[in-house]
Amino acid sequence: MRSSVRLLAAVSPTRPSKLRKPTISLDHFIQRQRVISFWREIVRSLYSDQLNVSEEIPKSPTRDELRDYARHEFERHRNVTDLQHIRYLLSTGKSEFEMMKRYIDEQAAG
C-alpha cells in the first residue's frame, strides 16, 4: 500500500495530461454545437434519398461536388476560435447552402 502512495505522490500535478483537452467557454460550446448541427443538416440533405425525405438533392456529380466543397470549407476553418468569425462563417455558410439547394432544385425541375 505504501508503494502506491509513493507512486501517487511522485506524479506531478502540474504536468498536463495528454488526454485532457483544454476547456472551452459556454459561448464556444454553443457555437460548436451550431456548427455540428449545420454539418448534419448538409449531410442529411445530401443523402436524404435513403431516408425518404422530400427535401433531397438527387444523385449526381453536383451532389458529390457539394459534399466535397462543404467538407473542404469545414476543414479549412477548423481552427477558427474567434466567436464573431465563427458566427460569420456559420451565417454565410447557411446562406450559400440555401442558395445551392435552390439552384439544384431549379436544375432538377427545369
Side-chain angles (χ1 to χ4, degrees), residues 56-58 60 101-110:
E56 70 181 40
I57 296 173
S60 67
K101 280 185 7 183
R102 280 196 303 269
Y103 174 75
I104 291 170
D105 288 344
E106 288 174 6
Q107 294 298 318

PDB file of all heavy atoms in Angstrom, residues 56-58 60 101-110:
ATOM      1  N   GLU A  56     -34.650  16.537 -50.879  1.00  0.00           N
ATOM      2  CA  GLU A  56     -33.420  15.820 -51.150  1.00  0.00           C
ATOM      3  C   GLU A  56     -32.720  16.394 -52.376  1.00  0.00           C
ATOM      4  O   GLU A  56     -33.343  17.011 -53.237  1.00  0.00           O
ATOM      5  CB  GLU A  56     -33.689  14.342 -51.355  1.00  0.00           C
ATOM      6  CG  GLU A  56     -34.430  14.049 -52.644  1.00  0.00           C
ATOM      7  CD  GLU A  56     -34.712  12.581 -52.810  1.00  0.00           C
ATOM      8  OE1 GLU A  56     -35.054  11.929 -51.826  1.00  0.00           O
ATOM      9  OE2 GLU A  56     -34.591  12.104 -53.938  1.00  0.00           O
ATOM     10  N   ILE A  57     -31.450  16.176 -52.427  1.00  0.00           N
ATOM     11  CA  ILE A  57     -30.665  16.554 -53.592  1.00  0.00           C
ATOM     12  C   ILE A  57     -30.454  15.274 -54.383  1.00  0.00           C
ATOM     13  O   ILE A  57     -29.946  14.291 -53.844  1.00  0.00           O
ATOM     14  CB  ILE A  57     -29.331  17.191 -53.173  1.00  0.00           C
ATOM     15  CG1 ILE A  57     -29.611  18.496 -52.430  1.00  0.00           C
ATOM     16  CG2 ILE A  57     -28.442  17.425 -54.367  1.00  0.00           C
ATOM     17  CD1 ILE A  57     -28.408  19.146 -51.824  1.00  0.00           C
ATOM     18  N   PRO A  58     -30.873  15.246 -55.659  1.00  0.00           N
ATOM     19  CA  PRO A  58     -30.790  13.997 -56.420  1.00  0.00           C
ATOM     20  C   PRO A  58     -29.343  13.541 -56.613  1.00  0.00           C
ATOM     21  O   PRO A  58     -28.415  14.341 -56.570  1.00  0.00           O
ATOM     22  CB  PRO A  58     -31.430  14.358 -57.757  1.00  0.00           C
ATOM     23  CG  PRO A  58     -31.442  15.830 -57.826  1.00  0.00           C
ATOM     24  CD  PRO A  58     -31.405  16.343 -56.423  1.00  0.00           C
ATOM     25  N   SER A  60     -26.113  12.843 -58.221  1.00  0.00           N
ATOM     26  CA  SER A  60     -25.496  13.447 -59.392  1.00  0.00           C
ATOM     27  C   SER A  60     -24.071  13.851 -59.039  1.00  0.00           C
ATOM     28  O   SER A  60     -23.704  13.869 -57.866  1.00  0.00           O
ATOM     29  CB  SER A  60     -26.285  14.682 -59.840  1.00  0.00           C
ATOM     30  OG  SER A  60     -26.164  15.688 -58.860  1.00  0.00           O
ATOM     31  N   LYS A 101     -28.948  24.839 -52.789  1.00  0.00           N
ATOM     32  CA  LYS A 101     -30.118  23.963 -52.841  1.00  0.00           C
ATOM     33  C   LYS A 101     -31.160  24.502 -53.813  1.00  0.00           C
ATOM     34  O   LYS A 101     -31.750  23.742 -54.577  1.00  0.00           O
ATOM     35  CB  LYS A 101     -30.725  23.797 -51.445  1.00  0.00           C
ATOM     36  CG  LYS A 101     -29.978  22.807 -50.608  1.00  0.00           C
ATOM     37  CD  LYS A 101     -30.525  22.466 -49.257  1.00  0.00           C
ATOM     38  CE  LYS A 101     -31.821  22.972 -48.831  1.00  0.00           C
ATOM     39  NZ  LYS A 101     -32.188  22.601 -47.447  1.00  0.00           N
ATOM     40  N   ARG A 102     -31.385  25.817 -53.778  1.00  0.00           N
ATOM     41  CA  ARG A 102     -32.349  26.415 -54.722  1.00  0.00           C
ATOM     42  C   ARG A 102     -31.890  26.215 -56.163  1.00  0.00           C
ATOM     43  O   ARG A 102     -32.695  25.886 -57.033  1.00  0.00           O
ATOM     44  CB  ARG A 102     -32.532  27.897 -54.425  1.00  0.00           C
ATOM     45  CG  ARG A 102     -33.465  28.171 -53.264  1.00  0.00           C
ATOM     46  CD  ARG A 102     -33.916  29.617 -53.243  1.00  0.00           C
ATOM     47  NE  ARG A 102     -32.799  30.549 -53.175  1.00  0.00           N
ATOM     48  CZ  ARG A 102     -32.262  31.018 -52.055  1.00  0.00           C
ATOM     49  NH1 ARG A 102     -32.751  30.642 -50.892  1.00  0.00           N
ATOM     50  NH2 ARG A 102     -31.259  31.866 -52.088  1.00  0.00           N
ATOM     51  N   TYR A 103     -30.605  26.396 -56.416  1.00  0.00           N
ATOM     52  CA  TYR A 103     -30.064  26.225 -57.763  1.00  0.00           C
ATOM     53  C   TYR A 103     -30.254  24.781 -58.239  1.00  0.00           C
ATOM     54  O   TYR A 103     -30.690  24.546 -59.355  1.00  0.00           O
ATOM     55  CB  TYR A 103     -28.580  26.606 -57.784  1.00  0.00           C
ATOM     56  CG  TYR A 103     -27.905  26.317 -59.098  1.00  0.00           C
ATOM     57  CD1 TYR A 103     -28.110  27.111 -60.210  1.00  0.00           C
ATOM     58  CD2 TYR A 103     -27.066  25.207 -59.223  1.00  0.00           C
ATOM     59  CE1 TYR A 103     -27.506  26.841 -61.409  1.00  0.00           C
ATOM     60  CE2 TYR A 103     -26.434  24.926 -60.417  1.00  0.00           C
ATOM     61  CZ  TYR A 103     -26.660  25.745 -61.509  1.00  0.00           C
ATOM     62  OH  TYR A 103     -26.064  25.456 -62.704  1.00  0.00           O
ATOM     63  N   ILE A 104     -29.960  23.835 -57.377  1.00  0.00           N
ATOM     64  CA  ILE A 104     -30.097  22.419 -57.752  1.00  0.00           C
ATOM     65  C   ILE A 104     -31.563  22.066 -57.970  1.00  0.00           C
ATOM     66  O   ILE A 104     -31.905  21.328 -58.902  1.00  0.00           O
ATOM     67  CB  ILE A 104     -29.440  21.519 -56.685  1.00  0.00           C
ATOM     68  CG1 ILE A 104     -27.927  21.712 -56.732  1.00  0.00           C
ATOM     69  CG2 ILE A 104     -29.805  20.063 -56.883  1.00  0.00           C
ATOM     70  CD1 ILE A 104     -27.169  21.068 -55.592  1.00  0.00           C
ATOM     71  N   ASP A 105     -32.460  22.626 -57.138  1.00  0.00           N
ATOM     72  CA  ASP A 105     -33.889  22.374 -57.322  1.00  0.00           C
ATOM     73  C   ASP A 105     -34.369  22.922 -58.662  1.00  0.00           C
ATOM     74  O   ASP A 105     -35.152  22.284 -59.356  1.00  0.00           O
ATOM     75  CB  ASP A 105     -34.702  23.020 -56.199  1.00  0.00           C
ATOM     76  CG  ASP A 105     -34.539  22.288 -54.873  1.00  0.00           C
ATOM     77  OD1 ASP A 105     -34.063  21.134 -54.880  1.00  0.00           O
ATOM     78  OD2 ASP A 105     -34.859  22.887 -53.826  1.00  0.00           O
ATOM     79  N   GLU A 106     -33.876  24.102 -59.051  1.00  0.00           N
ATOM     80  CA  GLU A 106     -34.250  24.686 -60.348  1.00  0.00           C
ATOM     81  C   GLU A 106     -33.733  23.823 -61.503  1.00  0.00           C
ATOM     82  O   GLU A 106     -34.433  23.631 -62.490  1.00  0.00           O
ATOM     83  CB  GLU A 106     -33.708  26.093 -60.466  1.00  0.00           C
ATOM     84  CG  GLU A 106     -34.403  27.116 -59.596  1.00  0.00           C
ATOM     85  CD  GLU A 106     -33.745  28.465 -59.633  1.00  0.00           C
ATOM     86  OE1 GLU A 106     -32.798  28.662 -60.427  1.00  0.00           O
ATOM     87  OE2 GLU A 106     -34.169  29.340 -58.854  1.00  0.00           O
ATOM     88  N   GLN A 107     -32.511  23.309 -61.348  1.00  0.00           N
ATOM     89  CA  GLN A 107     -31.940  22.464 -62.401  1.00  0.00           C
ATOM     90  C   GLN A 107     -32.696  21.156 -62.525  1.00  0.00           C
ATOM     91  O   GLN A 107     -32.910  20.667 -63.630  1.00  0.00           O
ATOM     92  CB  GLN A 107     -30.465  22.180 -62.096  1.00  0.00           C
ATOM     93  CG  GLN A 107     -29.575  23.392 -62.138  1.00  0.00           C
ATOM     94  CD  GLN A 107     -29.553  24.034 -63.519  1.00  0.00           C
ATOM     95  OE1 GLN A 107     -29.487  23.349 -64.534  1.00  0.00           O
ATOM     96  NE2 GLN A 107     -29.633  25.352 -63.543  1.00  0.00           N
ATOM     97  N   ALA A 108     -33.131  20.595 -61.394  1.00  0.00           N
ATOM     98  CA  ALA A 108     -33.863  19.323 -61.417  1.00  0.00           C
ATOM     99  C   ALA A 108     -35.271  19.520 -61.974  1.00  0.00           C
ATOM    100  O   ALA A 108     -35.792  18.644 -62.650  1.00  0.00           O
ATOM    101  CB  ALA A 108     -33.930  18.741 -60.012  1.00  0.00           C
ATOM    102  N   ALA A 109     -35.880  20.673 -61.679  1.00  0.00           N
ATOM    103  CA  ALA A 109     -37.254  20.922 -62.138  1.00  0.00           C
ATOM    104  C   ALA A 109     -37.303  21.300 -63.617  1.00  0.00           C
ATOM    105  O   ALA A 109     -38.265  20.993 -64.296  1.00  0.00           O
ATOM    106  CB  ALA A 109     -37.897  22.025 -61.306  1.00  0.00           C
ATOM    107  N   GLY A 110     -36.290  21.977 -64.078  1.00  0.00           N
ATOM    108  CA  GLY A 110     -36.349  22.511 -65.432  1.00  0.00           C
ATOM    109  C   GLY A 110     -35.525  21.796 -66.371  1.00  0.00           C
ATOM    110  O   GLY A 110     -35.501  21.337 -67.363  1.00  0.00           O
TER     111      GLY A 110
END
